[in-house]
Amino acid sequence: MYKQKLCMALSTQFGLPSDELIVLLKKTGFDGFAIDTSDRKTDAAHLVEIGKRENMIIQSLHAPFNKSDDMWFEGELGDVALKELLENTELCAKLEIPVMVSHTFIGFDNDNIPTQLGIERYGALAKRAGELGVTLALENTEGEEYFDALMNAFRSEKSVGFCWDTGHELCYNRGRNLMADYGDRLVATHLNDNLGVRDFDGKITYIDDLHLLPFDGISDWNVIAERLAASPFDGPLTFELNTVSKPGRHKNDKYAAMPVEGYIAEAYARACRVAALYIKAKEAIK
């Protein structure tokens, strides 16, 4: 798009092999993509090769996240989790992917008390990322106390930045303005819409995390654009979207019913609308 690069996070939910999806994203108008190795099967090197062939940006690599809670506790599981994240950092360096996105916790049944051990493990990860020239982007998810602990512990670390997930902010973070706290360290975005916390009494669960197309939820995209424009971030806008509904929600069913070409075209149109608001907000600041 004129004046703004747009990227999409790859997903098996779209119903196409990732190599075909990359070609479709390029054809539709996207400038790049983000790779997710959470399934531990993705051939990142192959996808980077295709991306280079298509002259696309490889914006980031999303490391596996289902061991994130282990990082905070004593024992072998935490050491294994750190080893895996370090291996993904090495992979980013090898493939010249500039940003590695990492969750800081997973789960809801916890005491929300960050440990010094967890900070030290993530510190080792941040140190290695810095040595390799990779930026570690910590993403806001559930367990925001752990996220805050790391963002504060590594405030002076140039190798550590913020990956802002706008949908997570509405549900996992109850609408808290995270850009007010960490917008000066923004290095990546996961832009998506959401309906907030469903439970009347405020209990948060993973089924609150919908990853809807922008403008299909309750997000105020004018405000999101203004918050982005107020930050020093000048990278591509990356969208992370789902076409498969969470159990019992059905909010994404209409996406799954669309031909993949139609869905990606609609995603690009929505991304352009967001980008136009962002450009307008930046110009208003000048």
Side-chain angles (χ1 to χ4, degrees):
M1 178 184 174
Y2 178 60
K3 291 188 177 182
Q4 182 58 53
K5 300 289 186 180
L6 302 174
C7 298
M8 174 76 89
L10 300 180
S11 173
T12 57
Q13 290 193 3
F14 299 147
L16 276 182
S18 291
D19 51 355
E20 295 181 28
L21 178 58
I22 291 170
V23 174
L24 177 59
L25 291 173
K26 175 69 173 183
K27 181 180 179 181
T28 304
F30 283 99
D31 303 287
F33 57 89
I35 297 171
D36 191 335
T37 60
S38 295
D39 63 359
R40 299 178 175 83
K41 298 177 183 178
T42 296
D43 186 347
H46 176 61
L47 299 181
V48 168
E49 180 181 354
I50 296 171
K52 289 181 177 179
R53 184 191 73 197
E54 297 294 326
N55 194 31
M56 297 189 79
I57 300 165
I58 294 85
Q59 182 271 328
S60 64
L61 181 147
H62 196 310
F65 58 85
N66 68 344
K67 298 179 182 177
S68 301
D69 54 332
D70 293 331
M71 290 281 284
W72 295 93
F73 306 117
E74 295 280 356
E76 183 180 354
L77 291 178
D79 297 333
V80 170
L82 174 58
K83 181 175 182 291
E84 182 173 65
L85 289 176
L86 287 169
E87 289 172 348
N88 275 265
T89 308
E90 300 278 351
L91 181 62
C92 284
K94 179 181 178 181
L95 299 179
E96 300 180 324
I97 300 174
V99 175
M100 186 182 81
V101 177
S102 175
H103 289 197
T104 62
F105 200 81
I106 183 170
F108 300 91
D109 298 324
N110 59 83
D111 56 14
N112 295 332
I113 301 176
T115 65
Q116 184 58 36
L117 176 59
I119 293 173
E120 290 172 0
R121 284 197 177 115
Y122 277 99
L125 180 63
K127 181 175 183 294
R128 187 56 180 150
E131 293 170 349
L132 294 170
V134 174
T135 299
L136 174 62
L138 301 177
E139 181 179 357
N140 56 300
T141 62
E142 69 271 36
E144 67 180 6
E145 292 85 356
Y146 299 92
F147 169 75
D148 285 333
L150 294 179
M151 293 298 289
N152 290 324
F154 306 129
R155 182 165 288 279
S156 62
E157 291 287 341
K158 293 182 179 180
S159 63
V160 178
F162 173 33
C163 175
W164 183 31
D165 190 304
T166 54
H168 288 176
E169 184 179 84
L170 278 178
C171 58
Y172 294 152
N173 312 121
R174 301 180 189 275
R176 170 187 168 193
N177 184 357
L178 290 168
M179 288 290 281
D181 296 322
Y182 307 118
D184 60 327
R185 300 161 68 189
L186 186 68
V187 295
T189 65
H190 284 175
L191 299 174
N192 60 90
D193 217 328
N194 201 275
L195 297 174
V197 179
R198 183 178 68 160
D199 183 71
F200 178 79
D201 294 319
K203 181 180 180 180
I204 302 170
T205 71
Y206 86 101
I207 66 171
D208 290 326
D209 183 26
L210 303 176
H211 288 261
L212 303 173
L213 286 172
F215 308 100
D216 277 357
I218 63 172
S219 295
D220 187 328
W221 287 97
N222 287 288
V223 171
I224 288 173
E226 291 167 0
R227 290 157 72 191
L228 276 170
S231 79
F233 178 73
D234 63 354
L237 298 182
T238 301
F239 294 77
E240 188 182 57
L241 305 169
N242 289 354
T243 57
V244 177
S245 294
K246 291 292 176 66
R249 296 304 302 268
H250 305 292
K251 302 301 184 292
N252 305 68
D253 289 359
K254 63 181 180 181
Y255 305 148
M258 297 171 68
V260 62
E261 295 84 0
Y263 176 78
I264 295 300
E266 185 62 27
Y268 180 70
R270 305 289 183 96
C272 288
R273 287 175 63 186
V274 173
L277 293 174
Y278 175 45
I279 292 168
K280 182 179 179 181
K282 286 197 294 184
E283 291 176 345
I285 293 174
K286 294 179 181 179

